[in-house]
Amino acid sequence: MTGSGGEQAVRTRARLAALLADTSTGALGAAGGRVAGVYLRSGTPGLLRLAVIAGLPGRLFRPWWRLHVGRPFPGADAYRLGVQVVLANAAETVRRYPQFAAGLPFPFGSVHVPVPGGSEPLGVLTVLRPAVADSADELLDLDLLARLAEGLGAELLGLADGDASAVVWDGEPLCVRPPVSRPGQAVVARFGWDPVTCAVRADDRLYGLLGLYPGDFAGTDAALAEALAPQDAERILAALRDTAAGKPPAAPLSVRGRDGAARLLDLWPAAEDGAGQRVDGVVFDPGPAACADGAADLLPQGVFCLDRLGLVVYVNPAAARLADRERESLLGRPLWEAMPWLTGPRYDDHLRGALLAPEPVHFHVRRPARDREEPGAGEWLAVSVHPGEDLLTCTLVPASRMDTPVEPLVEEHVPEDTVPGGHSMEPLYRPIALAIALTDAVTARQVSAVVMQELLPAFGGRRLAIYLLQDRHLYLAWETGFPQGFLAPFEGVGLDARLPGVECLTTGRPLFFESMQQLPTAYPGIPLDADEGARAFLPLIASGRPVGSCILGFDRPRGFSTEERTVLTALAGLIAHAMERARRYDSEAALARGLQQALLPRRLSAHPQVETAGRYLPGTQGMDVGGDWYDVVEAGDGLALVIGDVQGHGVQAAATMGQLRSAVRAFALGDRPPDEVLSGTNHLLIDLDPGQFASCCYLRLDPSTGLVRIARAGHPPPLLRCPDGRTRLVDVPGGVVLGVDPQARYPVAELLLEPDAILALYTDGLVERPGAD
């Protein structure tokens, strides 16, 4: 879609950018959203890329720039299935998409609409919006969203001259500033409070802010709290008392007025008088245009505002002083350039929370000193970020105002040679996200695939190898990214080999090599797969038992911070437990398959005039053996065909199934009529009393005449395909399932099969899906 050279390509790119911007901003209004974006197909099969995002700095959304269509994410489902996916709130998101909820752990709802484009979608339109009750959709216009997606798809095909395969996006996303929702001005109002008389002296701005005339205001602390924020009145009164006692709030309080508008309340002790300490206070209503005037310039605490793309649009003098920068050098710059000490994965998470969730976030940060010669120099600041529809209002307060000393935080180490894309410390979520993803992984290959999809992108890795321990030797279970055949010589190495992948397991200590040159120094003569890069060797140990080792490869030299090493070691433990569980599953699955095959017929009885075929595909996992069975038995001069399904799964269901199969087979060998076969089997099951019931369909076929006599016990009816190709269900009146009613009767129906007709018997596992009609 980006074209190459020429005026036409430039016009196409401009039209594409405008189209994506218009669609994303239109989706914000249609869904009452905070953030909207469009994913488009990329040049990599099975991978969508974020083409545009409105309402959030693209930098903060970097972990979600790429979306694998096979992942259990709502956007992937919308694309793969071609359906709208609507998640009302965090509860529904966690219930249906736990991995997505772990990656964005904020209380929001979302809508995902496929962008049509022929045989398969071109992409997905996604909107993140405030959470609502499960049944509330007053802010959501799904028809409008669908029309926006359809219009986008049509325009994209038009730009590509109708060639859907040409609609791809492989670049970084466009970042779009959403339209301002409402005009307004910031308001700052002052007051004073006497703790002895409880009297409040307010300025004229406070009356205007509260919508009161001076005569309407009782002039007491209780009246102030009730007028300012009725739901937070007790909290405001408590803060006033604490401030008078010399314990002011650590940061401005976030309160909400009667109309739900967010306001900030800051309190500090004024002058001393013998009976107590008077309190001065400021109420700050930021409004969406707090940067329009200097309303907050007089506030004693630092205040600055960010737009929804992360640009600093307002800074008061106190904030500039606390940031140790000139005011002019901060305005108009992205936060990560203006105040780099306020960014990084730990703080990016807080900013995402403020942009996506309705509640303020609070944290502490140390602003480095301008002179970095003294290690650890700098001032600790308490930061509060208050969300708004158009702006984030941030306050800075010296940590010395805290009631208790600030616990020193370990400074985050981000190496200068971090892989482009900011992946070095994104794994703050990864232990949770990887753990959730691993719960869905059953086999060793599935575990390895999850590790490749979750771990490599988080750390910017390009190579992965997983070895599993068996009989004191390591065998390759998964590899990706290594040159073909490079790992072959290491297959089956013993635990006495002097190799990093072996020694990390035998010692239980991970090994990190920040450059390829370090490897031959530590292990002379070791083959190298590349001249440049870095390697991490992680032991896979589950509850003290060695499982194997994991090798991560990076294309460029890089450092490993203390936090990265800790996170990688913790993730290796998760992988080890998942691998241990997967190997146990593989063993149990092999045992279950053997048990299942032993209970089913090894061959079907044949007849010169009849062709029979059976197919069994288990829909269960591990030891969860199914209770379905089938059989073909010689019955006099004909054939008896039977199919059944015991309720439930597991060993008990399989045991019951084996008993019923033997009983039906015995009745069939005696050439008993179908109704007697089912009645006898029904009594047997009731006498056994296994606490289970079973469905069954029994047929007695006379090959010489084609006459079929059929009886059913709660089982799906047979399917008949006539020689001319017509297909229909056979109408067979049936009785109740076996094992319920000892007096049950099973009527017999007759059917005449023509030569070359096909009669199919099946269980409900073939045609039914849980939760669907």
Side-chain angles (χ1 to χ4, degrees), residues 94-116:
V94 170
R95 184 170 61 250
R96 294 176 57 186
Y97 299 97
Q99 287 180 251
F100 181 61
L104 284 170
F106 312 112
F108 63 89
S110 61
V111 187
H112 311 266
V113 182
V115 177

Side-chain angles (χ1 to χ4, degrees), residues 432-448:
I432 300 174
L434 183 62
I436 294 174
L438 288 175
T439 60
D440 295 328
V442 178
T443 67
R445 288 190 62 82
Q446 290 173 346
V447 171
S448 301

Side-chain angles (χ1 to χ4, degrees), residues 627-685:
D628 299 16
W629 91 93
Y630 62 91
D631 207 348
V632 179
V633 186
E634 294 181 7
D637 57 356
L639 289 179
L641 298 92
V642 60
I643 190 164
D645 181 8
V646 177
Q647 166 212 6
H649 300 283
V651 176
Q652 180 63 48
T656 303
M657 178 263 280
Q659 292 171 311
L660 292 184
R661 176 179 173 243
S662 298
V664 173
R665 189 175 184 86
F667 286 128
L669 288 172
D671 200 12
R672 305 278 291 275
D675 55 337
E676 292 185 19
V677 172
L678 291 187
S679 293
T681 307
N682 179 48
H683 283 102
L684 173 65
L685 183 57

Side-chain angles (χ1 to χ4, degrees), residues 218-350:
T220 64
D221 49 6
L224 173 68
E226 180 66 23
L228 180 60
Q231 295 182 352
D232 294 313
E234 291 299 327
R235 182 164 160 246
I236 294 172
L237 293 173
L240 286 169
R241 291 191 294 269
D242 289 344
T243 304
K247 297 180 179 180
L253 302 179
S254 178
V255 297
R256 293 192 179 273
R258 295 181 186 277
D259 60 354
R263 294 164 177 161
L264 303 182
L265 171 64
D266 197 22
L267 304 172
W268 65 93
E272 297 282 350
D273 63 15
Q277 197 169 44
R278 294 201 312 273
V279 173
D280 284 341
V282 166
V283 180
F284 176 47
D285 187 344
C291 55
D293 63 11
D297 285 359
L298 301 179
L299 288 176
Q301 77 273 11
V303 176
F304 65 94
C305 295
L306 307 174
D307 70 4
R308 294 194 67 85
L309 291 189
L311 292 181
V312 179
V313 295
Y314 170 77
V315 183
N316 75 350
R321 183 176 65 254
L322 290 170
D324 196 21
R325 292 291 185 270
E326 296 295 329
R327 195 174 181 180
E328 292 72 18
S329 68
L330 300 174
L331 289 172
R333 299 181 63 188
L335 178 65
W336 37 90
E337 294 179 7
M339 305 178 194
W341 41 272
L342 253 180
T343 62
R346 181 186 294 117
Y347 308 119
D348 289 351
D349 188 25
H350 293 306

Side-chain angles (χ1 to χ4, degrees), residues 46-237:
L47 183 70
L48 304 180
R49 287 187 180 272
L50 185 65
V52 64
I53 185 169
L56 192 73
R59 174 191 177 105
L60 292 184
F61 211 71
R62 185 182 292 273
W64 300 273
W65 281 9
R66 307 190 325 160
L67 178 63
H68 292 273
V69 298
R71 299 303 305 280
F73 280 19
D77 276 2
Y79 176 85
R80 192 177 60 257
L81 303 177
V83 299
Q84 296 179 353
V85 177
V86 181
L87 302 172
N89 47 43
E92 186 176 1
T93 304
V94 170
R95 184 170 61 250
R96 294 176 57 186
Y97 299 97
Q99 287 180 251
F100 181 61
L104 284 170
F106 312 112
F108 63 89
S110 61
V111 187
H112 311 266
V113 182
V115 177
S119 59
E120 64 178 287
L122 302 175
V124 178
L125 173 61
T126 292
V127 184
L128 307 182
R129 65 194 193 109
V132 296
D134 291 338
S135 59
D137 59 357
E138 64 276 4
L139 296 179
L140 183 60
D141 189 337
L142 286 176
D143 289 339
L144 179 53
L145 285 174
R147 290 197 298 273
L148 283 171
E150 291 171 1
L152 174 61
E155 292 281 356
L156 290 174
L157 288 176
L159 289 175
D161 296 326
D163 183 5
S165 64
V167 181
V168 295
W169 185 278
D170 284 311
E172 294 189 357
L174 305 172
C175 296
V176 177
R177 181 176 286 101
V180 175
S181 60
R182 60 184 175 89
Q185 294 288 328
V187 177
V188 177
R190 292 176 173 271
F191 67 90
W193 177 65
D194 186 338
V196 178
T197 64
C198 295
V200 172
R201 302 185 313 278
D203 66 6
D204 292 338
R205 285 194 174 191
L206 184 61
Y207 294 121
L209 176 63
L210 301 181
L212 300 173
Y213 292 102
D216 298 334
F217 181 53
T220 64
D221 49 6
L224 173 68
E226 180 66 23
L228 180 60
Q231 295 182 352
D232 294 313
E234 291 299 327
R235 182 164 160 246
I236 294 172
L237 293 173

